[in-house]
């Protein structure tokens, strides 16, 4: 009985470890800097119109949201500007929009950083987007 159990566990462990490696999640950031745009396709965080996300260290009735404006540049020329709401209800919509902008990357999530903390005011210039993707 012990050998049968050992054999089953051995086979199971080989099956688990023989699975393909999980895709590694990587990140890139989108900042508010427009001075050093390169040729090609670029996104720039124009501004954070509002940030009513529930600060860490508080209890809120609802999670809140942040509204951002993202500009799309092609070869240093502004070709589009989009307003997005960063909230859990809009995750799929935002992921789809960023996937259209970066079709070669499988976008997983978009976060506005820094997250508010109770009693601390966020400098508007410190905001950036953290975009996670699988390669």
């Amino acid at each position: 009985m012990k050998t049968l159990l050992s054999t089953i566990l051995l086979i199971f462990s080989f099956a688990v470890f023989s699975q393909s490696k999980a895709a590694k999640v990587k990140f890139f950031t989108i900042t508010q800097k427009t001075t050093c745009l390169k040729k090609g396709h670029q996104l720039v965080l124009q501004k954070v119109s509002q940030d009513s996300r529930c600060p860490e260290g508080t209890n809120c009735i609802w999670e809140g949201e942040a509204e951002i404006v993202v500009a799309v540049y092609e070869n240093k020329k502004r070709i589009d500007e989009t307003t997005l709401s960063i909230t859990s209800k809009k995750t799929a919509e935002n992921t789809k929009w960023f996937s259209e902008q970066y079709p070669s990357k499988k976008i997983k999530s978009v976060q506005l950083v820094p997250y508010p903390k109770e009693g601390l005011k966020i400098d508007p210039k410190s905001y950036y987007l953290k975009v996670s993707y699988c390669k």
Side-chain angles (χ1 to χ4, degrees):
M1 187 67 167
K2 288 182 182 179
T3 57
L4 178 62
L5 183 60
S6 298
T7 306
I8 291 173
L9 287 174
L10 184 64
I11 292 171
F12 178 74
S13 66
F14 281 128
V16 169
F17 290 112
S18 68
Q19 299 293 322
S20 63
K21 292 182 180 178
K24 291 185 179 181
V25 177
K26 296 189 175 196
F27 300 94
F28 66 89
T29 60
I30 299 172
T31 65
Q32 298 180 49
K33 296 180 182 174
T34 59
T35 56
C36 55
L37 288 175
K38 301 173 186 170
K39 287 188 177 183
H41 190 78
Q42 295 271 316
L43 296 182
V44 175
L45 177 61
Q46 289 297 112
K47 67 179 177 178
V48 177
S49 305
Q50 79 171 20
D51 189 357
S52 64
R53 297 176 292 171
C54 183
E56 291 178 1
T58 62
N59 291 324
C60 299
I61 296 172
W62 68 299
E63 68 176 316
E65 66 181 1
E67 190 172 278
I68 62 171
V69 178
V70 179
V72 181
Y73 288 83
E74 190 70 46
N75 294 324
K76 298 183 182 182
K77 290 184 180 179
R78 188 176 179 168
I79 59 171
D80 193 16
E81 185 176 278
T82 302
T83 301
L84 300 170
S85 292
I86 305 296
T87 179
S88 62
K89 294 176 184 176
K90 301 277 187 162
T91 300
E93 184 180 314
N94 293 339
T95 303
K96 181 182 176 195
W97 187 84
F98 279 92
S99 295
E100 290 169 358
Q101 303 305 312
Y102 295 104
S104 63
K105 298 181 183 340
K106 187 173 181 180
I107 305 296
K108 292 292 184 188
S109 69
V110 179
Q111 297 173 315
L112 180 63
V113 180
Y115 197 85
K117 293 183 181 177
E118 183 181 15
L120 297 175
K121 184 169 170 72
I122 297 174
D123 178 11
K125 295 178 183 178
S126 67
Y127 282 113
Y128 65 93
L129 294 173
K130 183 176 180 182
V131 182
S132 66
Y133 67 96
C134 288
K135 212 169 183 189

